[in-house]
Amino acid sequence: MSAPVQVLLVDDHAVMRAGFRMILEAQSDIVVVGEAGTGAEAVAAASSLHPDVICMDVQMPDMDGLEATRRIVADPSIDAVVVVVTTFDRDDYLFQALHAGASGFLLKNAGPEELVTAVRVAAAGDALLAPAVTRRVIERFAASARDTDTGVAAAPSSAQPPASSAPERTAPPVELTEREREVLRLLAEAYSNAEIAAALFIGEATVKTHVSNVLQKLGARDRVAAVVYAHRHGMV
């Protein structure tokens, strides 16, 4: 059996952390390895506990969750994915979370099963946002994010369309196989690995290999960065 997903809970409300812990530890494949009540505590705990997934609140004293996420993602010694969990359904939090390097975004009014699913999905490296939300977020993020923030290679300046014209749908500068292009297009439509496998009539293990190859070739940290790349280069 595979090792359980190790989770760090970050929220300034102890009651909220206790509720999340009760929900997650009822699952045989998830274990909560620690808690933090501020952003600074979250950074320290992420470094010492090495969790797989961090459930991160946004509004906290000392250091907010967005800044904590930036520091965690930027630290090469921390190999954890961050899922922002907040009360506020605000676009600015959503976009800032993606800028910071978060791999998911969940509202606190979600059901217990959605929290469990979010942790499992994030740990597996799959897309977390619903398709409609993904398109709205990624399109805006791709238009405003700078290449250094997304962690993916930019197209040469000669490939950029004039400001007055519509985006030109050209092949990306990174060499991908035709199958890898198909996988990336489906990633950009928020397909999960299982859905990609069904759409392309291939096995999930093969999909995981293609996704890994795509991320490596793009120099993308995660699927969100790859989706941004696909939208920026007119692949969807």
Side-chain angles (χ1 to χ4, degrees), residues 161-205:
S164 60
S165 66
E168 183 181 355
R169 296 181 179 273
T170 57
V174 173
E175 288 295 328
L176 300 176
T177 67
E178 184 56 36
R179 179 62 86 188
E180 288 168 350
R181 290 175 189 272
E182 291 175 332
V183 169
L184 181 54
R185 290 189 190 101
L186 293 176
L187 281 179
E189 294 294 341
Y191 278 52
S192 67
N193 285 352
E195 290 168 335
I196 293 173
L200 299 181
F201 302 102
I202 57 179
E204 278 195 63

Side-chain angles (χ1 to χ4, degrees), residues 38-51:
T38 70
E41 291 177 1
V43 175
S47 180
S48 63
L49 298 175
H50 301 288

